[in-house]
Each structure stands twice: as structure tokens, then as C-alpha cells.
Amino acid sequence: MTDTSSKYLVDERGYFGKFGGAYIPEMLYPNVEELRENYLKIINEHGFKERFDQLLKDYVGRPTPLYHAARLSEKYGAKIYLKREDLCHTGAHKVNNTIGQILVAEALGKKKIIAETGAGQHGVATATVCALMGLECIVYMGEVDMARQKPNVERMKILGAEVRPATSGSKTLKDATNEAMRHWINNPADTHYIIGSVVGPHPYPDMVARFQSVISEEIKHQLLEKEGKSDPDYVFACVGGGSNAAGAYYHFLGHENVKLIATEAAGLGNHSGKSAATTALGREGVLHGSRTILMQTDDGQVVEPYSISAGLDYPGIGPFHAHLFDSGRALFESITDEQAMTAGVLLSKLEGIIPAVESSHALAALENFQFKSDDIVVVNLSGRGDKDLETYIKWGKY
Ligand SMILES: *Cc1c(COP(=O)(O)O)cnc(C)c1O
């Protein structure tokens, strides 16, 4: 079997195919350049790897189980495994990345951390690792989002972070991102900016994908042990910016026999005007510092996305996934709120696992496939549903 992974990974110029790069204001160039010059050297050092692995093991709780979901398997007529990222400390995969980045910040001699957050999940994962390392943490969050996501705001504060409201524009994620960028421009020497998904200017998408790639590395070993072969037939994952999916796909990219299924949030339907399904509705452009695919108007204004799940409510996808879509390597499916909530309740009843609503989008896509009985299917369960209790209650159909 030939390994073709390199054509799906970042090239020397910071591109995935024709996507990626670093489209940033000149004022930000020194910060991003410092990171670009150093990140590979830092993360490939033996000492770094040792500390990263140790923290993933003892602090995050890795390896996360690869669980054979027998009742779910029976329903869909295939052998279905769940990769249990929901069991990570803080309840989702995001912490894999923030652990990696806080160690990079430390290696670069940075004393302060900034981040932006929409729903607050990335903010909490960042505040967590700052507490762990004793670093100062400022999280920018839109004023509207702060009101919508009060529990996460309080979590960040308990963890010792300062949450700064972004009060311009729509007072949501994009405005928080602008504020964080401005902060970084003004504090280049002592501050590292932790981005929460495989988005942003090069080298962020590549760096975040590498930190999350531990997911597929574990899947390979676990499948070999359980099935006598390391390649599944399918890997399903939801895509907001795309970090959990990038991690779940990473070591299978070059194995073209492994089908990669990416699910995007279609909200109330792709033709309802209330959707976040980027590949179905978007086209090429520049978002958050990289060339990618995003939802935009004819004159290039970013379209406000909608999804019931805060983590998928993003108007683009990272360049990693834009290239997987463009090359046909991954198959993209649109999943509505209704389909996702139904799948989340189904998993709860069949397996005793209440998934994050984001992860339910990956589960819902199982409905769209005709499997063979010996197909091995891995669904990346990116997070747990505790944070979504309100959403389940409002949904009501359980
Ligand atoms: C944030 C989040 C996502 C979406 O982010 P990706 O970068 O696309 O992985 C998915 N699932 C959960 C549980 C999340 O918290």
C-alpha cells in the first residue's frame, strides 16, 4: 500500500493544496513568523514530546478508550467503535491542543496567554492549562456570547482567567477574534495566542492538527489490538473548524481505503438561511488569516452561520478540510439540528452515553450509509453532553 498522506498535509509554504497560507496584517507578521520559525523544532524535541505525552496521560486521561458500541452496531449493521474523546479532562478533545500550545508558549518564553472563544469551550480548555502552568490568561469573548454561555464564563473565572467582553460588531466570536488579534499585536514579546481549532494563519492549522493527531494514533493501536488490523473502513467526525476531525483522520490520510466522513451542521436545513454547512453553501475566500472555504455573500461579506450546536456554529472550515473536500479525499455530509438531536438521544438510550450535540452530528450521518456487516466504523465522539443539558431539555423529545 502506498502512503499518499503527504499530499493531504501542509507543504513548506504553509498550504494544504491551494488552501492555507498566512493572510495577516503586517503588524501581526513578527508574532506569527516567530511561531512559524520555531514550532517544528520545539514540538519535535525529545523533552517536549515526553512532557506532552505525560500530561496527556496523567492529566487528560489518555489514551481514551475505543469502545465497541454493540447495540449501536446492531442497529446499523456494522461493527461500530466510539473513540471516547468525551472522557478527556474538561469533557472534549480541545484540551489535547491547549496542552500542546501551552508547552510551545513555555518553550518560546511567553508568560501570558490570550485566546478567543465563542461558546466558551476553547476558553475553558485554555483557562485550564493556564491554571496548570501558572500562566496569566485573558480570554476574549463576545458580549452576546457571554450572556448566552454564562456557565462557561464562570468556569473560566473559577480557573483564574480574565474574561474580556468584545463589545464591537455583532458581539460574537468574530469580534472576540478581532480583539484578541489586536491584543497580540500590542503585546508581541510576552504573549502567546492559543487558537482552538485547525484554523488561522499558518502554522496554526498544521500545529493544531499535529497535537490532535494523537486521536488517530491511538485508534490505530487500539484497532490492531481488537481487530488485528489498524485501518478501519470508515472514520466519522463532525467539523466546526475541524480539529477533532483532523485528529481522527490524521494517520489514515494516506490510506485511501479508509473512508473519511466529515459532518457539517445544516441547522434548520441548507436552504433555510439558518445553516453552518460550509462546503454545501460556501466558496473560496480568506477567513481568519487563511485561504479556505467560507460562507459569504456575493460581495464577500461573511454570512452569519447557525447551528443548534455552539461548537459547529462557524462560517468556515480550516484549510486542512477545505483541501480534503476539494480533493475528494473526505466526503462531506450536512446534518440538521433535528437529525443531530435525534442521534444524540438515540446514543443515550442505546449505549448510556449522552454525547455533545457537536458529536451527535457525526453519529447522525451513520443513517446515510449502507454498511457491510463486517465493516469497521469509527465515530469520533468529540465531547460529552453535560454542557448541552439545556439544549436537550429545550429540544424535549426524549
Ligand atoms: C469545539 C467542539 C467541536 C468543534 O470543533 P472542531 O475544531 O471542529 O473539532 C466539536 N465537538 C466538541 C465537543 C467541541 O467542543
Side-chain angles (χ1 to χ4, degrees):
M1 187 169 32
T2 52
D3 187 340
T4 56
S5 58
S6 61
K7 72 180 183 197
Y8 302 112
L9 293 173
V10 83
D11 66 20
E12 278 174 7
R13 296 155 43 248
Y15 281 80
F16 301 83
K18 60 183 169 177
F19 303 101
Y23 296 78
I24 50 174
E26 199 177 320
M27 304 272 280
L28 208 56
Y29 182 78
N31 310 40
V32 174
E33 185 58 15
E34 182 189 24
L35 189 62
R36 189 193 66 77
E37 273 181 0
N38 292 293
Y39 83 109
L40 286 179
K41 196 172 80 220
I42 291 171
I43 68 182
N44 287 321
E45 270 166 14
H46 180 67
F48 180 96
K49 281 190 172 154
E50 228 169 25
R51 284 189 72 204
F52 182 57
D53 290 348
Q54 193 72 45
L55 284 170
L56 289 185
K57 179 165 177 275
D58 295 337
Y59 188 72
V60 174
R62 307 204 71 92
T64 58
L66 185 69
Y67 165 66
H68 175 224
R71 303 224 303 142
L72 197 69
S73 296
E74 196 180 329
K75 168 159 173 65
Y76 289 110
K79 197 154 194 189
I80 301 177
Y81 285 94
L82 303 177
K83 182 57 175 163
R84 301 290 308 275
E85 294 302 294
D86 60 316
L87 296 178
C88 289
H89 177 47
T90 69
H93 67 289
K94 285 195 173 72
V95 71
N96 302 326
N97 166 50
T98 57
I99 293 264
Q101 285 201 50
I102 200 100
L103 293 177
V104 168
E106 203 179 55
L108 288 171
K110 308 291 181 184
K111 299 279 177 271
K112 298 179 183 175
I113 298 297
I114 55 167
E116 91 289 328
T117 195
Q121 294 302 110
H122 172 57
V124 170
T126 302
T128 298
V129 297
C130 288
L132 175 70
M133 296 295 176
L135 294 188
E136 189 181 320
C137 181
I138 298 171
V139 179
Y140 286 93
M141 190 168 184
E143 212 170 34
V144 168
D145 289 336
M146 283 179 72
R148 285 196 289 211
Q149 310 286 343
K150 192 111 179 54
N152 276 341
V153 174
E154 298 311 316
R155 276 189 192 102
M156 287 185 264
K157 289 184 184 167
I158 293 170
L159 291 161
E162 180 192 341
V163 184
R164 283 199 191 161
T167 55
S168 62
S170 56
K171 304 182 176 59
T172 58
L173 179 62
K174 131 179 98 55
D175 313 290
T177 305
N178 291 338
E179 294 285 329
M181 293 271 187
R182 198 167 306 142
H183 182 119
W184 205 23
I185 288 170
N186 292 327
N187 301 272
D190 66 349
T191 301
H192 175 68
Y193 180 11
I194 298 189
I195 291 183
S197 187
V198 283
V199 300
H202 179 66
Y204 280 100
D206 180 49
M207 179 170 68
V208 176
R210 285 170 189 260
F211 292 145
Q212 294 291 0
S213 72
V214 64
I215 298 172
S216 51
E217 196 179 317
E218 289 175 5
I219 293 172
K220 265 186 355 186
H221 293 302
Q222 291 166 322
L223 272 184
L224 187 62
E225 203 171 273
K226 290 171 197 289
E227 295 288 341
K229 60 173 194 166
S230 56
D231 281 357
D233 295 291
Y234 294 85
V235 181
F236 285 70
C238 64
V239 173
S243 68
N244 87 87
Y249 298 164
Y250 200 91
H251 290 286
F252 303 118
L253 287 171
H255 301 194
E256 311 260 356
N257 54 317
V258 182
K259 298 175 203 64
L260 307 177
I261 315 300
T263 65
E264 293 183 303
L268 303 183
N270 280 344
H271 301 292
S272 68
K274 288 260 182 197
S275 170
T278 301
T279 61
L281 299 172
R283 56 197 165 78
E284 289 178 44
V286 171
L287 180 68
H288 294 163
S290 68
R291 180 152 198 87
T292 188
I293 301 173
L294 63 138
M295 291 167 30
Q296 54 188 310
T297 60
D298 287 342
D299 51 5
Q301 292 296 311
V302 177
V303 169
E304 197 71 33
Y306 163 81
S307 165
I308 194 168
S309 107
L312 303 185
D313 196 354
Y314 182 70
I317 50 174
F320 185 107
H321 293 286
H323 183 44
L324 292 185
F325 173 72
D326 187 57
S327 63
R329 177 66 186 93
L331 184 65
F332 282 69
E333 300 269 315
S334 292
I335 299 296
T336 63
D337 289 358
E338 168 104 27
Q339 291 171 306
M341 294 308 294
T342 304
V345 171
L346 180 75
L347 186 75
S348 307
K349 305 246 188 261
L350 282 183
E351 298 288 348
I353 299 169
I354 304 177
V357 174
E358 290 85 358
S359 318
S360 300
H361 286 73
L363 291 161
L366 292 168
E367 293 279 345
N368 299 354
F369 289 80
Q370 281 293 343
F371 298 111
K372 297 200 294 280
S373 59
D374 60 349
D375 276 344
I376 295 174
V377 178
V378 174
V379 182
N380 197 40
L381 208 67
S382 56
R384 58 178 172 246
D386 303 27
K387 69 179 177 61
D388 295 321
L389 195 59
E390 273 307 309
T391 307
Y392 278 104
I393 292 169
K394 258 197 217 148
W395 177 250
K397 296 179 218 165
Y398 48 83

